[in-house]
């Protein structure tokens, strides 16, 4: 299951520096707008101590963590919805991601150019949010122009419902209110899903600070947090430069550095975990002497659907799943003892998978 979070922001706010750290790649990070012109994609492992413990228990030939995809998208400027800067190219790239990681500059540095000439994180956030709202509004208006007359003439129930839903979207967007903050019924969600609205995508705000400001919540970070709360969005305070410095360090060296600057967990680990959670993703495991592996699934998926994540044949010929929980395995120390304690189960196709389930799928094709 491949899901992607897009890293967005104005030019020169630290997107590419952060992306270097996320993917441990050395892409172009330059002190001028549009250093990143094509979206760069990197796949990262989701931090999860459970797979490390399972690997130590089974000592397999290989261990595979679950992964998450990040896309570094070129910097957006005011007027992008009208083609300014990289305009439509930016907007098309962001339509393809599942969630938005919006990095905001929360530090002052005369040596790093700001495209607007001053530091104002709320202005920067609203610049991007406005451009996304304008782009969504254009989609809404175009669709309404095509179906409104048809709905009035034919009185088709589904088309009338779509018009009502789009009018609701239009009112919100004209007030520069992101669609992700609006409540939609299940029917409305189904109607607008195909439009890939930009402002409907869930967002995490990344407040990029200097190393000296980490954990101090400077005035800019506080402004970003207050803004995010209104949208019921998450905020993570990071120092992109520190994250990049951690790349080449050993695990022990990185831990020492984080302790030295008073940080419990790297911003990257926080970001990966929160992006994973934001999209309603969970993890199940398959274990054995050959392989211990983590698999990503969407909350609400059943056993048969999760079997299909491993291989389509598993889903087609699904018989049942042998399931135990990670917590039970750790508590009892072995599969045999879990079974003896009566905590191993046989589940059918409709069983809703839980985070931390360890599964053996029985199938016949």
């Amino acid at each position: 299951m491949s899901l992607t979070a897009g890293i967005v922001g104005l030019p020169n706010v630290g997107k590419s520096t952060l992306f270097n750290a996320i993917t441990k790649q050395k892409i172009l990070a330059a002190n001028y707008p549009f250093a990143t012109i094509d979206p760069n994609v990197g796949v990262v492992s989701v931090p999860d101590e459970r797979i490390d413990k399972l690997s130590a228990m089974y000592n397999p030939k290989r261990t595979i963590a679950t992964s998450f995809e990040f896309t570094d998208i070129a910097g957006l400027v005011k007027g992008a919805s009208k083609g300014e800067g990289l305009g439509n190219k930016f907007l098309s790239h962001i339509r393809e991601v599942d969630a938005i990681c919006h990095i905001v500059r929360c530090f002052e540095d005369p040596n790093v150019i700001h495209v607007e000439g001053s530091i104002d994180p709320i202005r920067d956030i609203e610049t991007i949010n406005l451009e996304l709202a304008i782009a969504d509004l254009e989609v809404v208006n175009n669709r309404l122009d095509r179906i409104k007359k048809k709905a009035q003439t034919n009185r088709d129930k589904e088309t009338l419902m779509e018009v009502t839903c789009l009018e609701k979207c239009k009112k919100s967007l004209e007030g520069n209110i992101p669609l992700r903050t609006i409540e939609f019924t299940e029917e409305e969600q189904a109607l607008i899903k195909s439009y890939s609205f930009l402002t409907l995508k869930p967002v995490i705000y990344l407040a990029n600070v200097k190393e000296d400001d980490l954990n101090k919540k400077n005035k800019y970070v506080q402004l970003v947090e207050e803004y995010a709360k209104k949208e019921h969005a998450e905020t993570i305070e990071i120092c992109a430069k520190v994250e990049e410095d951690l790349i080449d360090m050993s695990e022990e060296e990185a831990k020492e550095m984080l302790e030295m600057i008073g940080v419990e967990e790297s911003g990257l680990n926080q970001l990966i975990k929160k992006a994973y959670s934001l999209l309603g993703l969970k993890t199940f495991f398959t274990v054995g002497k050959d392989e211990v592996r983590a698999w990503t699934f969407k909350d609400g998926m059943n056993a048969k659907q999760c079997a299909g994540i491993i291989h389509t044949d598993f889903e087609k010929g699904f018989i049942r799943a042998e399931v135990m929980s990670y917590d039970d395995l750790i508590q009892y120390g072995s599969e045999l003892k879990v079974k003896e304690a009566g905590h191993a189960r046989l589940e059918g196709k409709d069983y809703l998978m839980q985070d931390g389930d360890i599964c053996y799928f029985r199938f016949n094709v």
Side-chain angles (χ1 to χ4, degrees), residues 102-104 106 205-209 221 224 235-239:
H102 187 160
I103 186 164
V104 188
C106 292
Y205 289 105
L206 307 177
N208 188 19
V209 301
V221 174
V224 174
T235 303
I236 300 174
E237 184 183 34
I238 63 160
C239 174

Side-chain angles (χ1 to χ4, degrees), residues 51-273:
I51 196 165
D52 298 327
K53 289 185 178 179
L54 290 172
S55 187
M57 182 179 287
Y58 285 87
N59 193 25
K61 294 175 183 175
R62 61 178 182 170
T63 300
I64 304 174
T66 189
S67 60
F68 196 89
E69 197 172 278
F70 282 94
T71 301
D72 178 32
I73 300 172
L76 176 146
V77 294
K78 191 180 293 182
S81 56
K82 298 182 176 66
E84 294 294 328
L86 295 172
N88 293 329
K89 194 170 187 180
F90 170 96
L91 297 172
S92 67
H93 290 155
I94 200 171
R95 283 195 195 283
E96 296 168 8
V97 304
D98 301 290
I100 295 171
C101 298
H102 187 160
I103 186 164
V104 188
R105 181 168 163 180
C106 292
F107 65 90
E108 295 179 4
D109 187 339
N111 297 314
V112 181
I113 301 163
H114 190 290
V115 71
E116 294 288 348
S118 62
I119 309 302
D120 185 342
I122 303 307
R123 176 202 60 207
D124 294 353
I125 288 172
E126 291 184 339
T127 294
I128 287 188
N129 284 350
L130 178 60
E131 294 302 325
L132 301 184
I134 291 171
D136 280 351
L137 188 58
E138 186 177 353
V139 171
V140 168
N141 285 333
N142 287 342
R143 179 62 177 165
L144 281 172
D145 286 344
R146 289 198 299 272
I147 67 168
K148 214 168 182 179
K149 191 173 287 185
K150 175 188 170 184
Q152 291 169 346
T153 304
N154 299 342
R155 307 302 295 174
D156 175 69
K157 185 179 178 182
E158 190 169 324
T159 308
L160 284 167
M161 190 183 297
E162 185 178 2
V163 168
T164 301
C165 183
L166 289 174
E167 292 282 11
K168 180 177 177 178
C169 293
K170 182 176 180 177
K171 183 179 179 181
S172 173
L173 293 166
E174 285 178 339
N176 195 19
I177 299 171
L179 296 181
R180 61 179 165 269
T181 64
I182 304 303
E183 284 190 22
F184 291 101
T185 65
E186 285 187 17
E187 286 180 321
E188 289 173 332
Q189 288 173 17
L191 282 169
I192 62 176
K193 186 177 180 182
S194 63
Y195 295 120
S196 297
F197 285 130
L198 304 174
T199 65
L200 194 58
K201 297 180 186 294
V203 65
I204 296 173
Y205 289 105
L206 307 177
N208 188 19
V209 301
K210 285 185 173 181
E211 180 179 334
D212 293 344
D213 276 347
L214 269 174
N215 267 356
K216 293 179 182 175
K217 292 195 177 181
N218 67 31
K219 61 182 181 181
Y220 299 128
V221 174
Q222 291 175 37
L223 288 170
V224 174
E225 287 183 338
E226 288 169 12
Y227 188 95
K229 279 179 185 174
K230 294 174 185 176
E231 291 189 2
H232 306 292
E234 296 271 7
T235 303
I236 300 174
E237 184 183 34
I238 63 160
C239 174
K241 188 65 179 68
V242 165
E243 301 299 331
E244 191 175 36
D245 290 342
L246 293 171
I247 292 173
D248 299 318
M249 294 183 184
S250 67
E251 190 174 331
E252 194 60 37
E253 288 171 334
K255 188 177 178 181
E256 284 180 14
M257 181 177 175
L258 291 173
E259 286 176 357
M260 193 168 62
I261 59 180
V263 178
E264 289 184 11
E265 186 177 32
S266 75
L268 287 187
N269 278 3
Q270 293 180 59
L271 171 57
I272 294 164
K273 287 177 180 177

